[in-house]
Amino acid sequence: MTHPPVPFDPEIEPALAEILPADAPPFTPETIPGLRRAMAEMFPPAAEVVGDAPVTVVEQTIPGPAGAPDLEITILSPHASNGALPVLYNIHGGGMMVGHRNMDVGRLLALVLELNVVAVNVEYRLAPEHPHPAPVEDCYAGLVWTVEHADELGIDPSRVVVMGGSAGGGLAAAVSLLARDRNGPAIAGQLLLCPMIDDRNTTIASQQYPGLGTWTRESNLAGWQSLLGDAVGTDDVSPYAAPARATDLSGLPPAFIEVGSAEPFRDEDTEYALRIWATGGQAELHVWAGAFHGFDMYVPDWPISKAALETRNSWLRRIFGKAGK
């Protein structure tokens, strides 16, 4: 049975032609190096993005997981601060194959200025050269370092939110599972923006967008294949690679889960919220009508993008407020 796609909102559909040129290369082992270079050129360094905003930018190298290379992080801190600040620990997207932390600097800068928080933006090893568990272990190591250096960073270790979009959202969910299972840092919340969490690609949504939108079924299959190799879709996949595989979602920090109705991750993300609720956990779910993958970054002036940003900020204020009491 074929499933017709949920249509993109007509107001933003024209933007897809500009975002996705007809000659855009697919994700394959041969094209990944070139795609990485192209993306790196698209996003300037953090200091350039911040400009004269009242935010300090620190680029730093920290220890990676045991026996693994060091990690690069970017720290954005507001000039005006009263005591220890909440922290956003951010993990960038890119389907596990591409991407760089600089791609999220604009999003993080806005949050630092709006909420008066510190942002720690981590770089992690990419697949297929570095398959699971390298990416999630890098991200977890960076979180542990961040909390252990709370005084140095001027942050409140009781008000840490892990966040990310797409693959970064999946890694943020996986880091939350690891922190629970390893008795690691106490995370106040997980901000999961269209998270990539299920390698099986069997939901209706995962089948509705072959060759359509900013993240297609084909791209998703390539990302999971890069991360998991021959294990993809089998019973051997760890929940720390694909959080939808977790059999127990109890005891997790409150989650904010956002996704578009017109993208492949709609169903797996909705199901994740349902399963958190089934354990008595806290999740706030938003499915934005007609929105394609990454809509807020591609069409920030679209009314729904603005509503989504306001909604995220509301949730973060509530989470940080509760954690600070």
Side-chain angles (χ1 to χ4, degrees):
M1 179 180 178
T2 59
H3 302 284
V6 175
F8 305 119
D9 186 314
E11 188 175 342
I12 57 168
E13 191 166 13
L16 287 171
E18 298 180 22
I19 297 166
L20 300 169
D23 59 351
F27 285 98
T28 68
E30 294 74 27
T31 63
I32 284 174
L35 289 167
R36 287 177 183 166
R37 288 192 296 270
M39 291 188 73
E41 293 170 0
M42 286 173 60
F43 300 101
E48 189 174 327
V49 176
V50 169
D52 59 2
V55 171
T56 299
V57 179
V58 175
E59 303 285 1
Q60 190 162 340
T61 300
I62 64 172
D70 290 344
L71 305 175
E72 295 178 347
I73 62 171
T74 303
I75 305 164
L76 305 179
S77 305
H79 289 175
S81 63
N82 250 340
L85 298 179
V87 63
L88 296 169
Y89 180 79
N90 183 75
I91 305 170
H92 71 77
M96 305 291 181
M97 306 171 287
V98 299
H100 189 276
R101 68 188 186 279
N102 286 347
M103 65 193 289
D104 285 350
V105 171
R107 167 188 281 165
L108 295 174
L109 176 61
L111 289 166
V112 168
L113 293 170
E114 176 73 21
L115 303 177
N116 199 41
V117 299
V118 173
V120 176
N121 196 12
V122 66
E123 199 62 51
Y124 56 91
R125 288 171 289 172
L126 296 172
E129 300 95 321
H130 304 286
H132 176 77
V136 71
E137 290 291 356
D138 283 356
C139 295
Y140 184 74
L143 173 68
V144 171
W145 181 91
T146 297
V147 172
E148 289 178 345
H149 291 77
D151 289 344
E152 172 189 331
L153 298 173
I155 63 170
D156 180 351
S158 72
R159 292 191 287 171
V160 177
V161 165
V162 296
M163 66 173 287
S166 196
L171 287 164
V175 163
S176 298
L177 289 166
L178 275 177
R180 179 197 66 182
D181 296 344
R182 294 179 177 175
N183 295 314
I187 298 170
Q190 46 181 332
L191 182 66
L192 312 179
L193 307 176
C194 52
M196 177 181 175
I197 57 174
D198 195 344
D199 66 293
R200 292 165 290 195
N201 285 278
T202 55
T203 67
I204 289 175
S206 74
Q207 300 172 56
Q208 285 178 304
Y209 295 93
L212 294 173
T214 52
W215 189 248
T216 65
R217 177 175 175 83
E218 294 84 358
S219 298
N220 204 42
L221 291 169
W224 284 115
Q225 182 69 37
S226 295
L227 184 71
L228 299 172
D230 292 341
V232 67
T234 72
D235 293 337
D236 296 330
V237 174
S238 165
Y240 308 130
R245 298 296 199 115
T247 57
D248 178 12
L249 296 182
S250 65
L252 291 171
F256 181 100
I257 302 172
E258 171 186 297
V259 68
S261 70
E263 67 158 290
F265 296 154
R266 181 194 65 231
D267 297 350
E268 63 199 63
D269 294 351
T270 301
E271 178 68 18
Y272 203 67
L274 289 169
R275 293 181 56 217
I276 291 173
W277 291 325
T279 71
Q282 292 286 356
E284 183 167 322
L285 172 67
H286 297 273
V287 182
W288 296 102
F292 52 70
H293 188 72
F295 65 94
D296 65 299
M297 298 183 77
Y298 289 117
V299 283
D301 293 328
W302 184 38
I304 288 182
S305 296
K306 293 180 178 180
L309 293 171
E310 291 171 2
T311 304
R312 287 178 209 167
N313 289 351
S314 169
W315 180 83
L316 284 168
R317 288 190 182 95
R318 286 179 274 130
I319 290 295
F320 288 140
K322 290 175 185 176
K325 291 180 180 176

